[in-house]
Amino acid sequence: MSPLLSLFWVLVGIAILVVLNLKYKLHNIFSLLIAGIFVAIMEQIPIDKVIGVVQEGLGSIMGHLALIIIFGAIIGKFMTESGASQQIADTVIRRCGTRFLSVGLMFIGVIFGIAMFYEVAFLIAMPLVLNIAKKADIPYMKLVVPTVVGATMGHSLFPPQPGPVALITAFHADIVQVYLYGILVIIPALFCAGVLLPRLLPGIKAIPLNSLMKPVEEKASQDLPSFGASILVPLIPAVLMIASSLIKTLMGKQSEAAKICDFLGSAEISMLLATLVAIGLLGVRRGMTSEGITHCVTDAIAKIANVLFVISAGGILKQVIIDSGVGDSIVHVVGSASLSPFIVAWVITAIIRILTGQGAVAAITSAGIVAPMIGAFNLNPALMCLAVACGSNTITLMYDGGFLLFKETFGISMKDTFKTWGLLELINSVVGLLMVLAINALIA
């Protein structure tokens, strides 16, 4: 099969996915399964092998990300219930003062985005932001935008979130490089989308707040956990992952210390340790009963079951793409084009994100397509992770979950949603890609 025809069937499969989602309102799990089977058959995978490919794709994502997703939900729940998220917000805003509120809120957004699912981080942060806007007498959208910018970038670029973890695994990237280059990528994106956009966007002060969301009822400061305990929990996985990678580099991968650190710094174990610390510091230490802890854990897991299965179903299409050799076809097409492979990877991911409305699914699916480019063009795997991550965090349409969450939370019009959410996502994504290209030019 020719490379262009092979790519064509993938695009048709994605189109089927979109039609099933939008026109027939079919659940994402069924849409992804049907699209994956269709592409497998059209890519001439033997019919007796298709079910095995489906099982491998679903199992590979479920096996690798299930615990990470579950632990992330539990951490978010305990941070909310204990008031740790409020403590982080209060402390950062107090240190930043009114003049640098947007910078402080971006920092909060990044922390929440790394520690929790985006939807959880958003719903926790927004009532706090409305409180702050009311106290400081600042138009609420001027503070909402930088907070959302931080949360979306933190969630899209950095482990232990599912998308970045899946990309690091698929591309065999060095996690320290992902963090270091990620910081270089995120700073200009935060500045452009979180600082400049709210200042330059016309009419931002007049966007009405028509939602039922009310500013959160704040707990008394003496009832909150300390700032140190609050910030420790979300940072544990990042610290363990970076420490593990550094020790392996310094002491050799075969040393006993490296093996122990590799175990502790794995996404699953680091998230487990962070979860246990959250339960201990934010639950047991604050007088929560064992029944209360069990209820929090159960409630957190129940609320993310749908997210877990949808992300896992995204692995079906990814596996089909890998097994059918479409990735090699893309390499062939890119080899005859003058575009940078990073731009091609970004465009592919952005298109999948726009069509499917799922950032993690877009990243996972794109990973199967663009992975062969890394070896073919001798690219830095960490930079490819960031390019794809930026593509998965781009402008979205009205059927995207993030778009609807933003619109309905504040009760704003479609036009104002595109003007705020749409623009901040597009700026995030494009500036992030430009920084990836700049870093690659410097280190190449």
Side-chain angles (χ1 to χ4, degrees), residues 171-326:
F171 299 158
H172 305 290
D174 181 87
I175 199 165
V176 172
Q177 288 189 12
V178 171
Y179 273 109
L180 292 178
Y181 292 148
I183 291 170
L184 297 179
V185 167
I186 200 175
I187 290 174
L190 293 178
F191 177 76
C192 292
V195 177
L196 293 183
L197 178 62
R199 291 181 182 176
L200 302 177
L201 193 62
I204 191 171
K205 295 180 180 179
I207 296 176
L209 178 63
N210 299 319
S211 76
L212 297 176
M213 177 178 278
K214 303 294 182 184
V216 67
E217 184 177 334
E218 295 186 349
K219 297 182 180 182
S221 57
Q222 64 267 23
D223 295 331
L224 299 177
S226 68
F227 177 74
S230 301
I231 200 71
L232 171 67
V233 172
L235 292 182
I236 285 174
V239 171
L240 287 174
M241 289 177 183
I242 293 173
S244 170
S245 185
L246 289 174
I247 290 174
K248 282 193 292 184
T249 302
L250 294 173
M251 304 188 68
K253 293 182 179 180
Q254 300 305 315
S255 66
E256 285 301 314
K259 291 177 181 178
I260 293 172
C261 289
D262 195 37
F263 171 75
L264 295 176
S266 64
E268 294 85 351
I269 299 302
S270 63
M271 286 293 283
L272 170 62
L273 293 174
T275 303
L276 294 176
V277 172
I279 292 172
L281 288 181
L282 307 180
V284 175
R285 191 172 178 182
R286 299 183 58 74
M288 188 177 287
T289 64
S290 57
E291 291 81 6
I293 290 172
T294 300
H295 174 74
C296 276
V297 170
T298 303
D299 188 51
I301 295 173
K303 288 181 177 178
I304 52 86
N306 182 64
V307 176
L308 173 60
F309 282 104
V310 169
I311 291 176
S312 298
I316 297 171
L317 192 54
K318 180 209 73 170
Q319 195 64 43
V320 168
I321 289 169
I322 291 173
D323 286 11
S324 64
V326 176

Side-chain angles (χ1 to χ4, degrees), residues 409-429:
T409 295
F410 304 113
I412 60 178
S413 67
M414 197 75 73
K415 176 184 175 183
D416 284 336
T417 307
F418 274 114
K419 188 165 71 173
T420 50
W421 165 263
L423 269 181
L424 75 86
E425 288 284 78
L426 182 61
I427 293 171
N428 262 348
S429 189

Side-chain angles (χ1 to χ4, degrees), residues 80 93 280 299 329:
T80 308
I93 300 307
D299 188 51
S329 299

Side-chain angles (χ1 to χ4, degrees), residues 2 16 19-20 31 43 52 69 92 126 129 132 231 254 288 315 324-326 331 415 434:
S2 71
I16 290 173
V19 170
L20 292 175
S31 302
E43 294 287 352
I69 292 172
V92 171
M126 287 309 105
V129 172
I132 294 165
I231 200 71
Q254 300 305 315
M288 188 177 287
S324 64
V326 176
V331 171
K415 176 184 175 183
L434 293 176

Side-chain angles (χ1 to χ4, degrees), residues 64 164-173 318 322 363-364 367-368 371-372 374 381 385:
H64 194 65
V165 169
L167 292 174
I168 289 169
T169 303
F171 299 158
H172 305 290
K318 180 209 73 170
I322 291 173
I364 292 167
I374 297 174
C385 283

